[in-house]
Amino acid sequence: MFDIKWIRENPDAFDEGLNRRALAPMAADLIEMDRIRREHLTTAQEIQAERNRLSKEIGQAKSRGEDASDIMAKVSESKQAESRAEESAKEAEITLNNALSGIPNLPFDDVPVGADESANVEVRTWGEPRPFDFEPKEHFDIGETLGLMDFERAVKISGARFVLLTGALARMERALAAFMLDIHTQENGYTEVNPPALVNDDTMYGTGQLPKFADDLFRTEEGFWLIPTSEVPLSNIVRGEIVDTESLPRRYTAQTWCFRSEAGSAGRDTRGMIRQHQFTKVEMVSVTAPDQSMDELERMTACAEDILQRLELPYRTVVLATGDMGFGARKTYDIEVWLPGQDQYREISSCSNCWDFQARRMNARCRAKGEKGTEFVHTLNGSGLAVGRTLIAILENYQHADGTVTVPHALRPYMNGLEVINPA
């Protein structure tokens, strides 16, 4: 969400930011909507001022013993006129806010301009892809050969884009989440949270999922939304609050199931666990003061990369182009893990600085000690990591020709010392 006052004062900068998102100019239309809103508000204020004047005349007329009925009639008419003006202002404000809520965040100047992922820029790589003396398999072939990854029964139980993990692979998913949470809470300064997985409209709106992305979400008959990521409840912890600037940054992490309808992804990653309706993710969320968020983005990205380094999984980090960046982000780093079965890097984490975009929607502010004024906090979010995709990366990078899979050293304490996964 944007500050219309800032748009009025910086129309060219606003339209230039939209242009970098490949969107048409909107400043003039938004400013006109705001002019209409303010015009109705001014009319209501003028009517109220006139009524106050007339009310004084009524008192004066009565004190002189004069008939004030005509003046009283004007006061009654003015109340109706003021109500109409206020209603028009309210309607204009709704129109303006609806328009503002559908506009994505403006990218930073250092974000590469491009229509899609082909314009993303690699900033670093870590690790060397392992050489294989056999044709490496994709994760679903490995998992099914192990007898521990079942898509057919998942279809019977739920439908397409679900999976049934059993035995050592079910244990590995649980182990990975615990491993990630331990590092984030014990070493990286995050507070673990167990948030609701069902949230209301205001919560979804606060982080930008509504109204634009309703089709990508699952909604219950009672009106709750299933979270697409725990970024949603974690960010909303400070919604509607004024927090002490000295208490920032606040860092939260959570392991949750996440739910996405995958609308528009027909034909993409139809086999395997890459794109599921339900998946497990460990999320990181930071709430910072405005002067902290740029450094926090680098820190958060490093926390996510560290998980992959400990698991000895090769990856690369890219900064997303304007056309590939999420709705609420001003800058995003994607971390892409190497998958030898696919012979390519695939996203395993996105770390984004949303600036004050979500905070305005949530009305989340901070106040420095001794100050009267407030300012909007900044929010950041990142996967730390997508657990299912990490499991995929382990299966593909640690596979052997005989169908077995080595458990990474860092994960073995969480797997009761298991070193190798054999076929069930």
Side-chain angles (χ1 to χ4, degrees), residues 290-316:
D291 62 351
Q292 297 171 332
S293 65
M294 293 302 293
D295 289 339
E296 187 70 11
L297 176 61
E298 302 299 326
R299 182 187 190 279
M300 177 179 284
T301 305
C303 289
E305 291 179 353
D306 180 53
I307 301 293
L308 290 172
Q309 292 176 17
R310 296 187 189 214
L311 294 172
E312 301 180 76
L313 293 170
Y315 67 87
R316 69 175 185 177

Side-chain angles (χ1 to χ4, degrees), residues 36 86 91 128 132 167 176 201 240 249 340 359:
I36 294 172
E86 289 176 343
E91 292 175 358
E128 291 292 332
F132 288 85
L176 281 167
D201 289 358

